Amino acid sequence: MHLQQEEYLPWTDTASILLFVHNKNDYIFSESVRYNAEPHGTCNLDVFSTVYTKLGGRYGVCITNPDQVKSFYYQSPYATEGCLRSCYQNQINASCSCMDPRYPIPEGSEPCQLSERPCVEKESNENGDPSTWPTCVCPQACFNKIYTVAWTRSEYVAQLAECPDQSNQTCTSEEMDTVRVVIRLPTLDSSLYQETPAIIVGLHQNMLFVSFERIEFAILFSIS
């Protein structure tokens, strides 16, 4: 891949391609984990998948549909991060009569202009992270697939090759402007953490006790 560094603004001090590893239906947030693929080298990503499923209902609170929370302004399946950002937007709208343009805005709402920036910054600094707000309730999703990544980088060569034509010293410029990205699946194994219902029956002083509990177990399976 070419980074086209000649098109960067003069004050840009870092050149790289941002890589996000995520489920195809997931929304990329500004806080999402990313990997920088810098030029003049190869970026290797070894990807592993893990699936989490929760029971919900009597066994605990989890979300299967965005309609189950107060606000969710993302056009994607439910995610706790999206719920928190939507809760943040409601707070900004209540205090500044507009919403932060960095995040999705529901139809009929106005994005904050530059003149409202002091109000937005004031609310963000005073209230902190939405996950700590008692009015912002964003449970985990009942189903979640997470990718973990082992990341490595290696340069093409320790020393640049010399140009055959000594009068043309631009032959190595292309090498300095390219990056090679390699996505690998070291194994087809996948981990599954799943809650299953269980009934515990006990007898105490001639009295029968029945309780419903959840048991979490992990399964490692592979595709061959």
Side-chain angles (χ1 to χ4, degrees), residues 16-138:
S16 65
I17 295 176
L18 297 182
L19 304 176
F20 297 87
V21 181
H22 62 95
N23 191 294
K24 65 178 182 179
N25 295 321
D26 289 347
Y27 192 95
I28 297 300
F29 301 91
S30 58
E31 299 84 3
S32 297
V33 177
R34 70 200 66 187
Y35 304 90
N36 289 346
E38 299 178 359
H40 188 238
T42 300
C43 178
N44 301 299
L45 299 179
D46 293 338
V47 182
F48 307 87
S49 66
T50 304
V51 176
Y52 297 88
T53 60
K54 300 175 68 68
L55 287 173
R58 70 175 68 182
Y59 302 99
V61 179
C62 65
I63 302 299
T64 57
N65 192 300
D67 295 336
Q68 294 176 266
V69 294
K70 182 179 179 180
S71 301
F72 193 84
Y73 301 138
Y74 290 82
Q75 300 299 319
S76 66
Y78 175 82
T80 303
E81 294 83 357
C83 176
L84 293 173
R85 295 294 162 259
S86 300
C87 188
Y88 161 81
Q89 289 286 52
N90 292 340
Q91 177 64 30
I92 296 298
N93 190 48
S95 301
C96 306
S97 300
C98 60
M99 289 192 174
D100 194 330
R102 295 176 299 173
Y103 304 107
I105 298 174
E107 186 177 354
S109 299
E110 293 293 330
C112 295
Q113 304 301 319
L114 191 59
S115 58
E116 280 92 23
R117 180 175 178 179
C119 178
V120 174
E121 292 181 344
K122 177 176 178 293
E123 287 298 316
S124 298
N125 295 333
E126 289 183 355
N127 293 294
D129 195 304
S131 62
T132 63
W133 301 353
T135 57
C136 194
V137 181
C138 295

